[in-house]
Amino acid sequence: MSELESQAHATLDAVARRAGVSLATASRALNGTTRVREDLRCRVRAAADQLGYIPNAHAQALASASNNTVGLICHDVGDPYFAAIADGVMRAAAEKDLLVMLASTFREPAREIAYVSTLRAQRARAILLIGSGFQDRTWERALAAELEPYVRAGGRVAVVSRHRSLRVDAVLPENRGGASALARALLDLGHREFAVLTGPPSLTTVSDRLAGFRAELARAGVTLPPERIVHGPFTREGGYTAARALLARGERPTCVFAVTDVMAVGALAAFREQGVRVPEDISLAGFDDIPLVRELSPPLTTVALPLTAMGQEVMALALREPRGPRSRVLRMGGEVVLRASVAPPLCDVPVRCQ
Amino acid sequence: MSELESQAHATLDAVARRAGVSLATASRALNGTTRVREDLRCRVRAAADQLGYIPNAHAQALASASNNTVGLICHDVGDPYFAAIADGVMRAAAEKDLLVMLASTFREPAREIAYVSTLRAQRARAILLIGSGFQDRTWERALAAELEPYVRAGGRVAVVSRHRSLRVDAVLPENRGGASALARALLDLGHREFAVLTGPPSLTTVSDRLAGFRAELARAGVTLPPERIVHGPFTREGGYTAARALLARGERPTCVFAVTDVMAVGALAAFREQGVRVPEDISLAGFDDIPLVRELSPPLTTVALPLTAMGQEVMALALREPRGPRSRVLRMGGEVVLRASVAPPLCDVPVRCQ
DNA sequence: GCGCTTTCTGAAAGCGTTTTCCCTCAGAGG
DNA sequence: CCTCTGAGGGAAAACGCTTTCAGAAAGCGC
């Protein structure tokens, strides 16, 4: 607009002119791609400094058909689960000198697809998708349709905890095994009356954790009646509401498994509000081991996932040279961390008491 | 590399050719900048769809000298404080159709400056700096030197909670007033023996909160002896260590103020570990009102900051047309939220007891 | 002194868009 | 029937870089 206000950026051309060399030499001197006589290199450097030259990344990307940005798509950076994974991704990016474009879908599938498209336009070197896919099969298909040409054009895609229908490299939490191990531990404590607070049933994250948990119960001859399974969104409020609903139904299990820690946090609040003591009245366990659950009282028993490491690994996976058509899958975590939120059931329940 | 593997992106040229129009028309048809005959527009659209055309954002940015990316620099996305603000920024970005490039400095000043440089190269429309600056005056100066030509070239800069030495638009938490109000509330409860767990003293966030707190105590004739002030990093561990140090010194205040909630979380853990009950033995208060402090038991008394809104506002500030040379400052938050982590001091302390 | 490498350097051709400038053509007005 | 206007379309010039392709200069053995 006004004359003085915007002062254009110095271009490489200006640098070259000032250093008394050609454009090509200036480019080479600055990038060090080819040998350039030392004195010329110095002159160019000096000229660049004096002019405050900052290369135009867009021009570079356009000319060299390469760039060092990656896209990170998650549902909600405010959620500690995603924040922890994003942190890992950021660490990996810093190490590899990559710039991360972050996108939060706010759990709207349309937004996710739009972001993939945007990242394609940016010619991002890789796209990282974090978190469970959407219930709707249609969306998952649309997403795959958007991703496929990207991959064909040389883009890399890697995901954390997505539905396997996307045939891409993936970091998968040890959902089934972890949930089984947790069930085992809870059974060992003497619990027989379980309830589960869970997310949208069509997500593999949910179904795997549920299946693992159930399988282990079944092995011990314990069943999980449908009225003891409450669905809700993967949020604190979801957990809160689900726990309230459970209590409102008059269900009094000795142990509640929330399929994510975030839901467990909500459940804990609900229990507290209703005067249900944890673990004396009800034992509570979660999944993920987000940092905050250690700070609760009682600290939450959960299945640990190395979230930051998972973030780093998904980046590594995306950057690794593809070896073939088969997608690589890295399973991580799954260890039970016993904390004070679980205890043996009270003796008025007709099971052995330790 | 291999022949089949990479399949180049369709270009606008290809779209134009297929639609039987010129490059210019194709561009206009897709962007809708000028009127284009309806049938041609359709033909272009169809051709673009068939070819799976995705415009090259770099070429667009280069040609139009504009783009819609903004840079977000924070210390650590994994920290709930930054995560919450980042969430607000993401919301604002989604609304305005901006792409956010995220950078975590991991609290290394050099990295921060490098990121500003990178974002300048990307010709980001705005740069958002979140969180306290670094102690070292040299770094702050270097940062300003990097930012200044960016602003002169038309870039926008806005910060949350940075040192005022950066003359840019800013969202500032009501540090002083909030801390004063908190002190007032604690005094009203009857406390006279205070301790403070605090961060690096050169940060204004720290000094303002400390000053506000102190001023209010002074007004009540209460002093804060230096041995009751413990410094540490702005992390959970910092709070933990500081609290341990305080106890190790044999100090037994009736009330502890941690200048950030994250530190308070660490302090709470330390107290619990040492058998110090909160609030019976020591009242504990924090600052920020990060979501997790509501889940603690006891829930933490704190000074509320609307973190997500602050993230939204800093974006709004960065995007707003500059009105003049004066930088705009938006003060937000500062209300005391009383929760169960504070209580009147026990009567064995020689003060009035409520 | 001659031809032959070996280094560097410079000119220029892209990269994929947007945008300016100009031309054409239809329709309105006389 | 002719001119004027305005709308729409095409050619080509940017945008700021990288990289190819030659050419110049310098070093070398004979």
Side-chain angles (χ1 to χ4, degrees):
Chain A
M1 284 285 159
S2 75
E3 325 74 63
L4 285 173
E5 188 188 312
S6 357
Q7 173 173 318
H9 293 275
T11 68
L12 185 57
D13 191 59
V15 172
R17 207 187 310 281
R18 176 178 260 257
V21 299
S22 77
L23 192 57
T25 303
S27 171
R28 289 190 274 246
L30 259 24
N31 296 324
T33 50
T34 317
R35 287 213 57 73
V36 172
R37 229 171 51 221
E38 202 46 38
D39 59 324
L40 288 192
R41 183 185 301 275
C42 285
R43 289 226 306 272
V44 172
R45 285 252 175 77
D49 280 356
Q50 286 163 22
L51 293 172
Y53 171 70
I54 299 258
N56 183 320
H58 297 299
Q60 289 184 311
L62 189 57
S64 66
S66 79
N67 74 57
N68 43 247
T69 63
V70 305
L72 173 61
I73 301 181
C74 65
H75 292 320
D76 176 7
V77 246
D79 182 302
Y81 175 80
F82 294 109
I85 295 178
D87 183 52
V89 170
M90 295 312 295
R91 278 170 208 282
E95 207 165 290
K96 301 231 194 295
D97 258 313
L98 293 167
L99 194 54
V100 174
M101 311 208 233
L102 177 65
S104 276
T105 66
F106 304 111
R107 300 192 154 78
E108 292 169 28
R111 216 181 269 288
E112 181 171 58
I113 291 178
Y115 277 131
V116 171
S117 190
T118 303
L119 292 172
R120 287 226 276 155
Q122 297 286 336
R123 302 297 187 260
R125 188 186 284 196
I127 294 179
L128 274 28
L129 287 162
I130 315 296
S132 282
F134 296 100
Q135 294 94 304
D136 197 328
R137 200 71 179 196
T138 321
W139 286 114
E140 203 74 10
R141 224 185 298 275
L143 180 63
E146 191 74 32
L147 250 21
E148 189 260 356
Y150 173 70
V151 170
R152 249 194 356 243
R156 307 291 180 74
V157 177
V159 306
V160 171
S161 186
R162 286 300 288 233
H163 197 284
R164 293 292 294 278
S165 68
L166 293 177
R167 307 214 94 279
V168 294
D169 294 344
V171 170
L172 294 185
E174 189 48 81
N175 287 324
R176 198 179 206 102
S180 282
L182 178 64
R184 182 77 262 142
L186 297 170
L187 285 165
D188 285 351
L189 278 176
H191 289 282
R192 292 296 178 274
E193 300 291 326
F194 294 94
V196 177
L197 309 182
T198 182
S202 57
L203 304 182
T204 47
T205 300
V206 169
S207 57
D208 286 353
R209 292 180 184 182
L210 210 50
F213 196 78
R214 249 190 169 130
E216 197 62 34
L217 295 194
R219 201 161 307 146
V222 175
T223 58
L224 191 58
E227 63 274 19
R228 289 273 179 86
I229 302 182
V230 190
H231 289 270
F234 268 171
T235 59
R236 180 203 182 277
E237 292 319 310
Y240 177 86
T241 312
R244 296 276 306 225
L246 185 74
L247 296 180
R249 281 182 204 168
E251 298 292 338
R252 284 294 182 281
T254 64
C255 183
V256 170
F257 168 43
V259 295
T260 70
D261 281 351
V262 171
M263 292 187 80
V265 168
L268 183 61
F271 288 154
R272 205 189 308 274
E273 232 179 75
Q274 298 292 307
V276 175
R277 292 166 307 163
V278 174
E280 292 83 353
D281 300 329
I282 288 186
S283 286
L284 178 64
F287 203 116
D288 289 339
D289 200 24
I290 58 176
L292 90 84
V293 299
R294 247 158 293 191
E295 313 297 343
L296 300 174
S297 46
L300 192 69
T301 287
T302 190
V303 178
L305 255 32
L307 299 172
T308 302
M310 285 164 64
Q312 291 175 298
E313 286 301 335
V314 72
M315 177 74 98
L317 223 43
L319 262 32
R320 191 145 42 227
E321 240 1 271
R323 279 193 312 238
R326 290 200 49 71
S327 59
R328 287 160 297 197
V329 171
L330 191 60
R331 298 202 166 269
M332 297 181 78
E335 263 152 59
V336 175
V337 183
L338 282 173
R339 300 204 184 95
S341 72
V342 302
L346 285 184
C347 294
D348 55 22
V349 184
V351 293
R352 74 184 149 90
C353 192
Q354 307 183 314
Chain B
M1 283 287 159
S2 75
E3 326 72 68
L4 284 172
E5 186 188 313
S6 355
Q7 173 172 318
H9 294 273
T11 69
L12 186 57
D13 190 60
V15 173
R17 207 186 312 279
R18 176 178 261 255
V21 300
S22 78
L23 191 56
T25 303
S27 172
R28 288 191 274 246
L30 293 174
N31 297 323
T33 50
T34 317
R35 287 214 56 76
V36 172
R37 232 171 47 223
E38 203 45 37
D39 58 325
L40 289 192
R41 184 186 301 278
C42 286
R43 289 226 306 273
V44 172
R45 284 252 175 77
D49 279 356
Q50 286 162 21
L51 293 172
Y53 171 70
I54 299 258
N56 183 321
H58 297 300
Q60 288 185 312
L62 190 57
S64 66
S66 79
N67 71 57
N68 44 251
T69 64
V70 304
L72 173 62
I73 301 182
C74 66
H75 292 320
D76 176 6
V77 246
D79 182 301
Y81 175 80
F82 294 108
I85 296 178
D87 183 52
V89 170
M90 296 310 297
R91 278 171 207 282
E95 205 165 292
K96 301 231 193 294
D97 258 312
L98 293 168
L99 193 53
V100 175
M101 312 209 234
L102 178 64
S104 276
T105 66
F106 304 110
R107 298 192 156 78
E108 292 170 27
R111 215 182 270 288
E112 179 171 59
I113 293 179
Y115 277 131
V116 171
S117 191
T118 302
L119 292 171
R120 286 225 275 155
Q122 296 285 338
R123 301 298 187 260
R125 187 186 284 200
I127 295 179
L128 275 27
L129 287 161
I130 315 296
S132 281
F134 296 101
Q135 293 95 306
D136 197 327
R137 199 69 178 200
T138 322
W139 286 115
E140 202 76 10
R141 223 187 298 276
L143 179 64
E146 191 74 31
L147 250 22
E148 189 260 355
Y150 172 71
V151 171
R152 247 189 5 235
R156 306 292 179 73
V157 177
V159 306
V160 171
S161 187
R162 286 300 287 232
H163 197 284
R164 292 293 293 278
S165 69
L166 291 177
R167 306 214 95 278
V168 294
D169 294 343
V171 171
L172 294 185
E174 190 49 80
N175 287 323
R176 196 178 208 104
S180 283
L182 178 63
R184 181 78 260 142
L186 296 172
L187 285 164
D188 285 350
L189 279 176
H191 289 281
R192 292 299 178 270
E193 301 290 326
F194 292 94
V196 177
L197 310 182
T198 182
S202 57
L203 303 182
T204 46
T205 301
V206 169
S207 57
D208 287 353
R209 290 179 185 182
L210 211 48
F213 196 76
R214 249 188 169 132
E216 198 62 32
L217 294 196
R219 201 162 305 148
V222 174
T223 59
L224 191 58
E227 62 273 19
R228 288 275 180 82
I229 303 182
V230 190
H231 289 270
F234 269 170
T235 60
R236 179 201 183 278
E237 292 318 309
Y240 176 85
T241 311
R244 296 278 304 224
L246 185 74
L247 297 180
R249 282 183 201 168
E251 298 291 339
R252 283 295 181 282
T254 63
C255 183
V256 170
F257 168 42
V259 295
T260 70
D261 281 351
V262 171
M263 291 187 81
V265 168
L268 184 61
F271 288 154
R272 204 188 310 272
E273 231 179 77
Q274 298 292 304
V276 175
R277 293 165 307 164
V278 174
E280 293 83 352
D281 301 328
I282 289 185
S283 286
L284 179 63
F287 203 116
D288 289 339
D289 201 24
I290 56 177
L292 90 83
V293 299
R294 246 157 294 189
E295 313 297 343
L296 299 175
S297 46
L300 191 69
T301 287
T302 191
V303 178
L305 256 32
L307 298 171
T308 302
M310 286 165 63
Q312 290 174 299
E313 285 301 335
V314 72
M315 177 75 99
L317 224 42
L319 262 34
R320 189 139 51 220
E321 237 6 89
R323 278 193 314 237
R326 290 202 49 72
S327 59
R328 286 160 298 197
V329 171
L330 192 59
R331 298 203 166 270
M332 298 182 77
E335 264 153 61
V336 175
V337 183
L338 282 174
R339 299 204 185 95
S341 72
V342 301
L346 286 186
C347 295
D348 55 20
V349 184
V351 293
R352 73 187 151 87
C353 194
Q354 305 180 314

